[in-house]
Amino acid sequence: DDFIFRGPVIGPLVKKDIIDTLTSVSKDLNTAFPDYEMNAFGFTADDPIEPNRVWYFIRPRGTFLGPFKHPTMGMIEPTGAKYIGPPEARSVIWNDEGKIKYQSVGYVTDRFTGDTTGGRGAVFGQYAVMGQEIDANVGSVGTIFLQRLTGLLPEGMVPLSFSKKEDLPAWWTDERMGAEK
């Protein structure tokens, strides 16, 4: 499989690793934000450079109504806080066989528009609403350190931030991992 998942500071993650990562947190995020709405819009399939790429936006909303089992911090009790995420750009690229080979998420387009996350996109916005603010900036020394540290821990203990280089498909040539610039 040649699939890659990437965000500004997460990834590249191959299919197996993104499934493991999402499985480890998605059930609890669905419990924590039972009214979550992605609010996707603005789909466009007319990229002049990458014709197999579809771009779109989301304006996520929800309420922190249920407990969340944080991978390292333990149980976080709900506060009723509103999750109003800033607009994000996302994209999907299909290969010639019609399978998704790349997905990008979390690229905030306007951090000042209707926001309760401190301008954070994707799961980083949900964590911020739960009081677990993680530095989601590209190049963050602290985030890079934590991401590398998780690679040294026993497999499955915490969600991966990026896959091992040897697991990446040959078409993926960018050397940056996680939050690296």
Side-chain angles (χ1 to χ4, degrees), residues 114-150:
D115 174 45
T116 62
T117 70
R120 292 169 179 85
V123 73
F124 292 97
Q126 289 173 295
Y127 276 123
V129 169
M130 292 186 288
Q132 301 297 310
E133 295 188 11
I134 301 169
D135 187 349
N137 292 306
V138 173
S140 164
V141 174
T143 301
I144 293 169
F145 172 77
L146 289 173
Q147 290 176 331
R148 289 184 182 159
L149 180 64
T150 62

Side-chain angles (χ1 to χ4, degrees), residues 43-165:
F43 291 83
T44 179
D46 60 357
D47 187 317
I49 309 301
E50 296 174 286
N52 289 353
R53 189 172 207 157
V54 172
W55 291 94
Y56 62 101
F57 299 91
I58 69 164
R59 303 243 1 217
R61 300 291 187 268
T63 314
F64 183 24
L65 296 173
F68 178 73
K69 184 179 177 188
H70 191 282
T72 59
M73 304 299 292
M75 194 61 68
I76 301 173
E77 294 301 324
T79 63
K82 293 288 184 192
Y83 168 47
I84 302 172
E88 294 177 29
R90 295 183 171 200
S91 73
V92 176
I93 298 176
W94 277 266
N95 65 18
D96 292 336
E97 291 79 43
K99 293 182 178 181
I100 295 173
K101 83 179 224 180
Y102 178 75
Q103 181 176 12
S104 67
V105 304
Y107 292 88
V108 171
T109 61
D110 185 351
R111 65 188 178 104
F112 305 105
T113 300
D115 174 45
T116 62
T117 70
R120 292 169 179 85
V123 73
F124 292 97
Q126 289 173 295
Y127 276 123
V129 169
M130 292 186 288
Q132 301 297 310
E133 295 188 11
I134 301 169
D135 187 349
N137 292 306
V138 173
S140 164
V141 174
T143 301
I144 293 169
F145 172 77
L146 289 173
Q147 290 176 331
R148 289 184 182 159
L149 180 64
T150 62
L152 302 174
L153 298 173
E155 192 169 324
M157 186 173 185
V158 293
L160 291 175
S161 294
F162 50 83
S163 297
K164 295 176 183 170
K165 287 185 180 186

